[in-house]
Every structure is written in structure tokens, then in C-alpha cells.
């Protein structure tokens, strides 16, 4: 069988998205005896669920781990829950859609807990020396939308991993650091790839 | 000539100190035509200045870059200033000394600006893709004490670099991350070593 | 009819709890034509749901707004969701109970969205000049447990408000501020009381 | 004699500045037997020192406490040091001047420690129940420039207090709080006024 791992294209002011690079790096690898299918999703509220449905239809994965960028976080964060709320807060999506406290699915459940083993994934990450934590909120942007759609619409083990910037990405995001301005936290791409691989492995077992 | 690069031994609740590892890694390397002398300082207010004086006396360095751990920071931080204040705040030093708003040198200057090229160092770090920034406060613990002593007592180009945790160190510092607790920011040791090497190179030029 | 407003007794290292004081201040007041019943809950995973059930049984409120302390937050935070997870993370409850990633109700829903008007409450708070925001996570301690229990077990409009420290409470929490240590954010008790009153009013309308 | 207390006009994206309101509130009051002269400074690197010199020349104060806004801080912060560096970092001054790592006074000292009793001021603030701390960096904008100029050019007891937003100011600064966005920390104006009054009193004694 396969394991589906998605990332996102760049969005907002960000020129790159580490989740896209992680998904491309893992595409084609074998994890826990499964072939990883790496795919990149659009940052568009209206398209995320359909793209995921098409990928699941095509690849019939044993588990799905979607990933996205959460600038400002210091770790690989494994999300515990997705809620039935779309809100772009301050950053419109890439189609310039900016929902405000709208339900994802008016007939859907209020929320779903991730069905990959969240706590075990974080423990496996920490055992591997990778900074990681359980997160209790995936926000209300496309990342939460993806996880909610996976859990509401599909009978598959599914989870979501938020990734910090890479060091190069943090440098690109920095505001006048040579003058005392701020620079976000980061983890190197190789550590992020190994982190998501570890979550896929835990999910597959 | 030589370049002196110091780190610190572990202190407080920390089991390791990346600055010690960076100093050991750089010891013996050649940077900008100079041999790096890597040394590890005690985290003791009463001994830092004497140890630095002995090292400078022995090695007559072209420049000194002292380094230390600043858990919670996200970058390689190049310090701009050292102030004539010792204060252990909440963490006594390794000899259990805990000064409170005391002058380092009652006859000394209020403060000294670092004499390595601070802004150029940060620019060189960013050019190398290493998260970095200028910092306007080295605190009031042994790190500030070291930089103040270098600048007050010695006629040598001197600066200080605060380093974040390594990923392994951040994992060790984390409070119940598998349950949603916090994990500090980090940079891998190799990036920290390359960062301090870059500052030494900029200081030597 | 009545409006039920609960706070919590002190817990962990905290000597006071602003939510207790807010609930006591509002007890007996008339808001939107309803009498406010202010009550103080124990910080015990095993007792919160039963105490709430008894209060609802006795007072048959038109709406319930539970409140609790979230040290470190800067605002009156109106919670959007409660999840079916108990986890004490790093702070055991007052009965020294320390659940780890356990379901609140093994047969219950994964999560519930608050049924008071969350967004309208925050807008009303901001209109009144009170720092406020929607929060997407009530954590996994007794606060989340209370909101989950209200929404899972009772057919009543229910919500939760996290409160920051009062200035006096922030001073008590501070670590060596006279030496440069940290002090948490705060809002004065009067503003907190007016904030929770505003949420009760919005919930009642 | 008099006590001089300055605030700043609004700057950058801020519509108001609590330090201006604090200075106006204290103007004309009697503190420790001295009349307070409250004055509002321009946020212009080129004019701050001259305005302060004119005020000192006119009023011959027993002590000067300058104040300014530091959005993001949680407390009344009493600054320990001013450094001989102007850097606008990311926010030009109100004359659109944007210095980059430039000395304030090419012939001046590297830095000066504040000459009001900093630690005693913070202790008095905490005794009064006002969140406060010692700060080791006044930044490199006009606030630092003011304190450096006072200490470099005048033989008067001088200090600087950074103030957070007021609750109303924090609401105005908030980014989409009704959708989950951020809101800075705050302290009510009355507490800020009492805080600066307390520092003036401590400085006068």
C-alpha cells in the first residue's frame, strides 16, 4: 500500500514553503514497507478537500499525513484536532479567498480528533532527537481545513504536522536582523524530512 | 597569530552547553589564516575574568569571540554591548554565587561596545543562510561579565555570541512535549559551529 | 431566568485565581434581565462535571459562561472549542490527579464548538475597549474539561472565557523582576469583571 | 525644585502614545515636594537631545524621568542603560529619518547606566502592586537616544521608563482578534500614571 504525504505551495508573503519541499523529498521513498506518495496542495480553501479526495481515490493510502508551514513555531508539531471552522484571520488564501468564522461543512461534525497516533508520533520524534510537541490547535486556515476534510470525508487514518521555517526560510523572513530585528525559529530541512518520515512510520505501524 | 574562541561549561539545569561544543569543534582550525584556540570557561563570576586574562596572556590573540548559551533565542546573536553589572537574576553560577545588581568593576566604565564588527558579522551570517541578529543585551550573567572584562581589561578586538540550544538540547529542555508542553527553539550544532567560525573570520579581517 | 458564571479556585503555584474573584463579583448581579449565579469550581478533573451538573440542575440557567485563569495570555479569550481530551501536561490538579492524553468521555463526541456567540462576544468586548480575542484552544486541563462537559452533557448555551492574571497576580507570579526577570501580562480585575459581564450579556441575547 | 517627566508623541502606525498621556497627566502635580513638569517630545532623532536640553535649561529639574511606548512589553520597565547607537531598525522616526548603526555622539562614551535608582524604583513599583521590571535594553530608537543624551550631556539624575499599551491602545493595535489574531499586552493608563509617579518619587528621594 501507499502512505500519502502532502505539503503546501507557498502562500502570503512567504517565498517558499518547507512543507512542499518535505513532501517532494519523501515522494517515492519506502516507509514501513509502504511507498510514500508526496503531493503538493494549493493554499485554497475551495480546492483542498477535492484535491485530497482525488489523491485518496487514486492511491488508496494506508494513512495520510498532511503538512504545512506554521511560521513562529519552534518544533515539528503534531496536531491533535481539526475544527469545523474556516477563518483566514489576517492572510487570504492564494485565490484571495478570506472566509470569516464560516463552517467548513454545515452538516459536519464540530471537530475531529486526528486518527494517527499523535502522542506516539511525538514520542518517536523526541526519541530521534527531533524537537516536537503535540499541538492542540491547527488554526483555522487551509491546514485545519485539510485535516478536517480528511477526517470528515474519508475512512482513513489521518493526521497533520505543522512545520517551522527552515534556517534559509527564517533568514528570508527576518526583519532587519542586522539592526536588531526579529528572526523566526527554524529547523533544517533534513530534520523536518526525518520528522515527517517518523510520523509516517508511526502512522503506518 | 591566533583567534581565541571560548565557550562555557554547562550551568543551572542544563546538562550540556552548545557553546562548549562549538569551542571544542573550532579548536585547532585555521580561520582567516589564524589558528583558533578553543577554550571552555567556568560559569563563575569570580573566575571568568582571570581565566580570560590567562588565555590572552598565553595566546596573544588577534581577536576574541566568547560564546554562551541563551536558551529561548532563535538565532546566533551577536552582542553589541556589555554593561558593568553582575546579576544572576534567577540562576546562581556554578559556585553558587548569586550577585544582585553589583558592579563588575567599581572603577570601570559603565559599559563597552563590542569591538569586533557586529553588524558586518550578522550580515556575513545571513549571507551564509544562518539565522542571526544583532542583540542589544548580553544580560547580566557570566556572559556579559566575560565580554565586559575583555573590553575593560584588554586591548584586543573582542565580541560575544549567544547561541540557542541544539535540537538535542531543546529536546532535553522540553517540558512534557508529548502532552502539549513547550520546547525551546534550536539550531543544529553544525550551523552553530559555522556561525561562530563566520564571526571569527569577520573579526579577523 | 438565571445566567451561570463559574470561576475556579487557585491551583498549582498560584495563590489566587482571578476567575474565582470574577465569579464572586458577578454573583447576584442582573445582566440582560437575568440574575447571575456566580459559583466557584474545584480544579479537579473528577469533580468538575458533577459540580456543573448540580449547578445547572439547581439554577436552570439560560446560558453558562465558565471562566478560568490562563497565565501568560494578554487578553480576555473566548474559547471556540472543547476537545475530548484530559491532559494535565505539567500541572497536576488539586487532587493531585494527572491524566495523560485520556478521553473525558470514551463514548462522547471528539469535540464541541461553544454554543454562545463567540465572535459576537469578542466584538462586543472590543467595542467596550477590552482587549479580547477568539481562542482556538482551551487546552486540555480542567478548563477544557468543564466546557466539554457542559456541551456534551447539557442542552444549554455554553461557553468558556480564559482570563489573564490581574496586575497584583502578575506581581506575585513574577520571577525576580527587580533583577531583570519576567513578569506575565495582566488585566485589572474590574476590566475582567466587565469583560465576563459582556460575554454573559452577549450570550443572553 | 522640579521633576521633569517627558513622554513622546505618537509614531509609526500607532495612533496614540500612552507616554504622552502619562506626561500630560503628571504635569503640574507635586511629587516628593517637587512640581512635576510634564512635556511631550518629538519622535525625531535630530531633535530629542535639543528639546531635552531646552527643558533642563528652563526648569533645572532635580531629576528627569523620560518615558516612551514599548508595544509588546507586559510591564512598566525601568531601563538600566543607554547605548551610543542610533538605529531605527524597522520604524523610521517621524521626520522619516532612519539611522543605521550610527553613533549618537562620535566623541561620547560607549554607554551610560541610568542614574536614578533603577532597582529601588522597580521594588517600589512592585510594592505598589504595579507589574514592573528592570530592563537591560532601551533599544536603539529615540527612547535610547533620549536617555543617552540626558546622561552624556547633563549632570542630572536621569532615567527612562518604557510603558506598554493601554487596553484601548492594545485594542487599536490588535490584528483581527475576533478571528483569532493577536492582541498586545497592556496596562491601564491610571496604573501607568501611578507607575511613573512612583519612579519620579523614588528618583527624587
Amino acid at each position: 500500500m501507499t502512505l500519502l504525504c502532502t505539503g503546501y505551495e507557498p502562500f502570503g508573503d512567504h517565498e517558499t514553503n518547507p512543507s512542499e519541499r518535505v513532501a517532494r523529498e519523501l515522494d517515492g521513498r519506502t516507509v514501513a514497507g509502504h511507498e510514500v506518495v508526496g503531493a503538493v496542495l494549493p493554499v485554497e480553501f475551495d480546492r483542498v478537500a477535492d484535491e485530497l479526495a482525488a489523491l485518496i481515490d487514486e492511491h488508496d493510502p494506508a494513512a495520510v499525513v498532511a503538512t504545512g508551514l506554521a511560521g513562529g513555531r519552534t518544533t515539528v508539531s503534531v496536531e491533535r484536532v481539526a475544527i469545523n471552522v474556516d477563518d483566514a484571520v489576517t492572510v487570504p488564501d492564494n485565490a484571495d479567498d478570506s472566509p470569516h468564522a464560516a463552517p467548513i461543512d454545515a452538516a459536519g461534525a464540530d471537530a475531529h480528533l486526528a486518527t494517527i497516533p499523535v502522542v506516539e508520533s511525538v514520542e518517536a520524534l523526541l526519541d530521534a532527537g527531533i524537537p516536537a510537541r503535540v499541538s492542540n490547535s491547527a488554526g483555522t486556515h487551509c491546514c485545519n481545513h485539510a485535516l478536517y476534510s480528511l477526517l470528515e470525508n474519508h475512512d482513513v487514518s489521518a493526521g497533520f504536522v505543522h512545520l517551522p521555517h527552515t534556517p534559509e526560510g527564517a533568514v528570508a523572513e527576518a526583519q532587519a536582523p542586522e539592526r536588531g530585528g526579529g528572526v523566526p525559529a527554524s529547523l533544517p530541512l533534513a530534520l523536518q524530512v526525518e520528522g515527517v518520515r517518523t510520523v509516517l512510520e508511526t502512522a503506518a505501524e
Side-chain angles (χ1 to χ4, degrees), chain A:
Chain A
M1 286 187 75
T2 65
L3 296 169
L4 177 59
C5 174
T6 66
Y8 276 109
E9 58 185 20
F11 66 97
D13 295 331
H14 308 299
E15 289 184 20
T16 61
N17 190 325
S19 70
E20 172 173 4
R21 297 172 68 191
V22 167
R24 292 197 194 284
E25 284 275 340
L26 289 170
D27 183 49
R29 286 209 204 170
T30 300
V31 172
H34 300 284
E35 185 188 347
V36 177
V37 176
V40 179
L41 298 175
V43 179
E44 300 184 28
F45 288 101
D46 277 355
R47 290 179 54 200
V48 164
D50 288 350
E51 297 269 339
L52 282 168
L55 286 163
I56 289 171
D57 194 45
E58 181 180 351
H59 299 290
D60 190 26
V64 185
V65 175
T67 73
L69 170 64
R73 298 208 187 174
T74 59
T75 67
V76 172
S77 302
V78 184
E79 298 295 344
R80 196 168 234 156
V81 65
I83 65 176
N84 190 2
V85 179
D86 271 348
D87 202 312
V89 189
T90 58
V91 183
D93 76 7
N94 285 353
D96 209 28
D97 191 13
S98 191
H100 178 178
I104 295 173
D105 180 341
D110 276 8
H112 292 284
L113 293 172
T115 47
I116 64 165
V118 170
V119 169
E120 291 79 356
S121 292
V122 171
E123 288 170 347
L125 287 161
L126 296 170
D127 286 347
I130 299 172
R133 69 175 181 94
V134 173
S135 165
N136 291 314
S137 173
T140 56
H141 213 283
C142 289
C143 292
N144 172 72
H145 189 109
L147 182 55
Y148 182 86
S149 300
L150 286 167
L151 295 162
E152 174 73 15
N153 303 335
H154 303 279
D155 184 24
V156 63
S157 176
F160 196 93
V161 174
H162 264 121
L163 300 168
H165 287 289
T166 60
E168 304 77 25
V171 167
E173 296 288 316
Q175 293 190 298
E178 78 285 4
R179 303 171 75 170
V183 186
S186 62
L187 287 175
L189 186 64
L191 218 56
Q192 298 197 21
V193 170
E194 177 58 15
V196 176
R197 195 203 64 76
T198 300
V199 177
L200 284 165
E201 189 174 58
T202 310
E205 281 167 359

